[in-house]
Amino acid sequence: MTDRAPRRILTAAATALLAAAGLTACADDTGGASQPGKVGVVAAFYPLQFLAERVGGDTVAVSNLTKPGAEPHDLELNPRQVGEVVDADLVVYLSGFQPAVDEAVEQNGGDRTFDVAGVTPLRDAAAGGHDHEGEAEGEHAEEGGGKDPHVWLDPTRLATLGDKLAERLGKADPDHAADYTARAGALRTELTKLDTEYADGLRTCRRREIVTSHTAFGYLTERYKLEQIGISGLTPEAEPSPKRLAEVAEEAREHQAGTIFFETLVSPKVAETIAREVGAKTAVLDPLEGPPADGDYLSAMRTNLQTLRTALDCS
Ligand SMILES: [Zn+2]
Ligand SMILES: [Zn+2]
């Protein structure tokens, strides 16, 4: 069904005629990404929206299934949003991250889909955790055998997703294939610069352990040789047990963590409780699961870098 896209791409003249006749506004009543003359891309959550907008430029219209302020892990879709998936020229999603999106794609996506989980192998959920000799991690049952979806927090991996998205968009809209490739290349340049800033900024620090609300930062800590101590597991809504809270407080003390991180989309209560207990501060470390309040992925990642450098006492 890749021949769907060209049918949606009207010539400029046809678009002008439709506009003159007042037809564009009601050309599609599902809202979402559909705009005459543009490739309609539905992104499952913010970093994929950012990617689609940067790579697609002005020849695509991007909508985001996860509305601002919503937490994407447990997203549920209403019928209108399922309609967006049905009508999209391309659905960009990450299988295994949002079950409701997986289901909508399976039932309605046809071959108009791009699964970023299929681009490069994802980390095992249990890999690279913070362990001490002889400590069991058995209680994190939800992590058993699963994959860590938070791949966008490694800028170099996001650049690779951008290159592959450009290829996929080029198949859906061959007339603009070269533009997609060029934009993905420009984005890669920016992401490479960000990666260098992270590597330089986190090279020499007094501490390397970060205590986070949920274990969203595995790709970031792996790339920049930090250690993540997650209060809850891979999904933020998993309520940590009193035993886990005590363990994390103990870890925070042992590694002299001066800062306990919490997230924009999740209540800071648990982080605050641990911070109070160990005499630490709290600060926001944004896992970019929703759009930042201002700026974009790049500026929010730079804010995260400054936050990390302060918390870890980097020179
Ligand atoms: Zn997450
Ligand atoms: Zn430790």
PDB file of all heavy atoms in Angstrom, residues 73 97 150 214 216 234 236 289, ligand 1:
ATOM      1  N   HIS A  73       3.757   5.633  28.316  1.00  0.00           N
ATOM      2  CA  HIS A  73       3.816   4.178  28.546  1.00  0.00           C
ATOM      3  C   HIS A  73       2.432   3.539  28.555  1.00  0.00           C
ATOM      4  O   HIS A  73       2.244   2.468  27.988  1.00  0.00           O
ATOM      5  CB  HIS A  73       4.478   3.871  29.892  1.00  0.00           C
ATOM      6  CG  HIS A  73       5.960   3.996  29.892  1.00  0.00           C
ATOM      7  ND1 HIS A  73       6.787   2.937  29.634  1.00  0.00           N
ATOM      8  CD2 HIS A  73       6.774   5.052  30.127  1.00  0.00           C
ATOM      9  CE1 HIS A  73       8.048   3.331  29.722  1.00  0.00           C
ATOM     10  NE2 HIS A  73       8.080   4.616  30.019  1.00  0.00           N
ATOM     11  N   PHE A  97       6.472  -0.710  23.388  1.00  0.00           N
ATOM     12  CA  PHE A  97       6.485   0.428  24.316  1.00  0.00           C
ATOM     13  C   PHE A  97       5.067   0.821  24.730  1.00  0.00           C
ATOM     14  O   PHE A  97       4.798   1.058  25.899  1.00  0.00           O
ATOM     15  CB  PHE A  97       7.204   1.600  23.646  1.00  0.00           C
ATOM     16  CG  PHE A  97       7.305   2.856  24.476  1.00  0.00           C
ATOM     17  CD1 PHE A  97       7.668   2.807  25.820  1.00  0.00           C
ATOM     18  CD2 PHE A  97       7.046   4.094  23.921  1.00  0.00           C
ATOM     19  CE1 PHE A  97       7.773   3.974  26.580  1.00  0.00           C
ATOM     20  CE2 PHE A  97       7.151   5.266  24.673  1.00  0.00           C
ATOM     21  CZ  PHE A  97       7.512   5.198  26.011  1.00  0.00           C
ATOM     22  N   HIS A 150      13.700   3.002  25.741  1.00  0.00           N
ATOM     23  CA  HIS A 150      14.040   4.437  25.797  1.00  0.00           C
ATOM     24  C   HIS A 150      15.226   4.814  24.911  1.00  0.00           C
ATOM     25  O   HIS A 150      16.129   5.554  25.309  1.00  0.00           O
ATOM     26  CB  HIS A 150      14.318   4.838  27.250  1.00  0.00           C
ATOM     27  CG  HIS A 150      13.196   4.541  28.190  1.00  0.00           C
ATOM     28  ND1 HIS A 150      13.087   3.340  28.858  1.00  0.00           N
ATOM     29  CD2 HIS A 150      12.119   5.277  28.545  1.00  0.00           C
ATOM     30  CE1 HIS A 150      11.987   3.347  29.609  1.00  0.00           C
ATOM     31  NE2 HIS A 150      11.379   4.524  29.441  1.00  0.00           N
ATOM     32  N   HIS A 214      12.196   6.528  37.180  1.00  0.00           N
ATOM     33  CA  HIS A 214      12.092   5.204  36.551  1.00  0.00           C
ATOM     34  C   HIS A 214      13.316   5.010  35.659  1.00  0.00           C
ATOM     35  O   HIS A 214      14.026   5.965  35.356  1.00  0.00           O
ATOM     36  CB  HIS A 214      10.738   4.974  35.861  1.00  0.00           C
ATOM     37  CG  HIS A 214      10.573   5.478  34.455  1.00  0.00           C
ATOM     38  ND1 HIS A 214      10.483   6.809  34.132  1.00  0.00           N
ATOM     39  CD2 HIS A 214      10.441   4.819  33.282  1.00  0.00           C
ATOM     40  CE1 HIS A 214      10.302   6.949  32.833  1.00  0.00           C
ATOM     41  NE2 HIS A 214      10.281   5.750  32.274  1.00  0.00           N
ATOM     42  N   ALA A 216      14.579   5.142  32.849  1.00  0.00           N
ATOM     43  CA  ALA A 216      14.449   5.597  31.463  1.00  0.00           C
ATOM     44  C   ALA A 216      15.801   5.885  30.828  1.00  0.00           C
ATOM     45  O   ALA A 216      15.886   6.045  29.612  1.00  0.00           O
ATOM     46  CB  ALA A 216      13.582   6.855  31.404  1.00  0.00           C
ATOM     47  N   LEU A 234      11.159  -0.011  34.560  1.00  0.00           N
ATOM     48  CA  LEU A 234      11.113   0.583  33.220  1.00  0.00           C
ATOM     49  C   LEU A 234       9.850   1.390  32.952  1.00  0.00           C
ATOM     50  O   LEU A 234       9.818   2.188  32.040  1.00  0.00           O
ATOM     51  CB  LEU A 234      11.229  -0.518  32.163  1.00  0.00           C
ATOM     52  CG  LEU A 234      12.646  -0.928  31.781  1.00  0.00           C
ATOM     53  CD1 LEU A 234      12.607  -2.109  30.834  1.00  0.00           C
ATOM     54  CD2 LEU A 234      13.422   0.224  31.160  1.00  0.00           C
ATOM     55  N   PRO A 236       7.008   4.079  34.591  1.00  0.00           N
ATOM     56  CA  PRO A 236       6.926   4.991  35.733  1.00  0.00           C
ATOM     57  C   PRO A 236       5.793   4.686  36.690  1.00  0.00           C
ATOM     58  O   PRO A 236       5.861   5.058  37.856  1.00  0.00           O
ATOM     59  CB  PRO A 236       6.745   6.367  35.079  1.00  0.00           C
ATOM     60  CG  PRO A 236       6.373   6.117  33.675  1.00  0.00           C
ATOM     61  CD  PRO A 236       6.824   4.746  33.311  1.00  0.00           C
ATOM     62  N   GLU A 289       9.693  11.911  27.384  1.00  0.00           N
ATOM     63  CA  GLU A 289       8.577  11.048  26.988  1.00  0.00           C
ATOM     64  C   GLU A 289       7.406  11.891  26.507  1.00  0.00           C
ATOM     65  O   GLU A 289       6.500  11.398  25.874  1.00  0.00           O
ATOM     66  CB  GLU A 289       8.202  10.120  28.145  1.00  0.00           C
ATOM     67  CG  GLU A 289       9.377   9.205  28.473  1.00  0.00           C
ATOM     68  CD  GLU A 289       9.038   8.026  29.346  1.00  0.00           C
ATOM     69  OE1 GLU A 289       8.013   8.049  30.032  1.00  0.00           O
ATOM     70  OE2 GLU A 289       9.839   7.066  29.334  1.00  0.00           O
TER      71      GLU A 289
HETATM   72 ZN    ZN B   1       9.818   5.430  30.275  1.00  0.00          ZN
END
